[in-house]
Amino acid sequence: MRIRLEKKNRVTTDFVEIVIDKEIMNVRQGKVKKTGGPSWGKHCGTKENAILEANKIKQEFIEKKYIEVRSKQRPNDFNGVFDKAKWHFRGEFPDELDIFQGYVHTGFYLTWIIEKGLYDTNGDKFLNSEIEKVRKRETTGAEFFERNLDGVLMDDDLMELGNEFTYNYYEKGKFLKDYSEILLADLPTLYHVQDNWANYEKLLPVFEKRFKKWKKSKKPKWWKFN
């Protein structure tokens, strides 16, 4: 569950986002197209309590003249989590592999997000320095994902454009289809792909092609202006 509210000012627009992930409620505030802003989380015991708490906070902001807005690209029941490394440590994850291999596929995508300028550090100086390491290829995206995000990729981590594309491409499964076709070859599972820049370079043109095609699909056709 994800709730977003906005309040337009004379120059800027304030926003608040409330995300429910099971019994955890996360709240983030800031200004649209700006970095920074406070964020906090609360363990509410149960998902039902978290929803009640979220609706209470929502009402408080509505009384402050905020208006609820709905994303055109992500449904209201999307909880804001695109992927968690720990989801991949269960079931078919090979026993012989180091668990770091569960971070690799998301890490390649995260590298592209960073290089494309679609990652939102919210003004965090430490994250800015860590991102610079990825851009200089001193650190891989998988290493960044493990060390700095605890293996969780959320919509809070991305700019709005990055969120829309990630929901359309990564969340809906096209990413894994491309990933498998390009890198798996004779490998037994996607977790056997090595975390190196050569493999990232193989994925890069596909990411660019998908992004370009998606952006083009967002533009209104000329006949829609008539």
Side-chain angles (χ1 to χ4, degrees), residues 73-114:
Q73 300 296 326
R74 305 188 298 283
N76 197 46
D77 60 357
F78 175 63
N79 69 359
V81 180
F82 289 118
D83 208 348
K84 290 186 179 182
K86 71 177 184 180
W87 290 344
H88 302 278
F89 302 152
R90 310 164 186 163
E92 299 180 358
F93 190 84
D95 292 335
E96 72 273 15
L97 295 181
D98 188 286
I99 61 170
F100 177 76
Q101 291 301 119
Y103 295 83
V104 173
H105 64 288
T106 308
F108 284 136
Y109 181 73
L110 191 52
T111 299
W112 178 80
I113 284 287
I114 289 171

Side-chain angles (χ1 to χ4, degrees), residues 130-165:
E130 291 294 290
I131 275 181
E132 194 59 28
K133 292 178 183 177
V134 177
R135 287 178 175 151
K136 291 179 178 179
R137 302 201 171 185
E138 298 171 352
T139 298
T140 68
E143 290 168 339
F144 177 90
F145 187 44
E146 179 188 34
R147 297 172 187 171
N148 301 296
L149 302 184
D150 294 324
V152 181
L153 180 62
M154 299 185 64
D155 58 0
D156 277 356
D157 300 318
L158 309 179
M159 299 291 190
E160 186 56 28
L161 184 64
N163 268 315
E164 291 184 13
F165 177 69

Side-chain angles (χ1 to χ4, degrees), residues 220-226:
K221 308 301 181 182
W222 64 267
W223 61 80
K224 291 187 178 182
F225 291 106
N226 296 330

Side-chain angles (χ1 to χ4, degrees), residues 16-34:
V16 59
E17 287 185 341
I18 309 168
V19 177
I20 302 298
D21 183 10
K22 297 182 180 178
E23 68 275 10
I24 306 296
M25 179 187 67
N26 294 294
V27 181
R28 180 188 174 204
Q29 292 178 247
K31 292 185 181 295
V32 175
K33 297 183 179 180
K34 302 283 186 180

Side-chain angles (χ1 to χ4, degrees), residues 208-220:
E208 290 292 331
K209 181 180 178 180
R210 290 288 194 181
F211 186 63
K212 184 177 181 180
K213 183 177 180 180
W214 173 77
K215 284 187 72 177
K216 186 176 181 180
S217 72
K218 283 169 57 66
K219 295 180 179 179

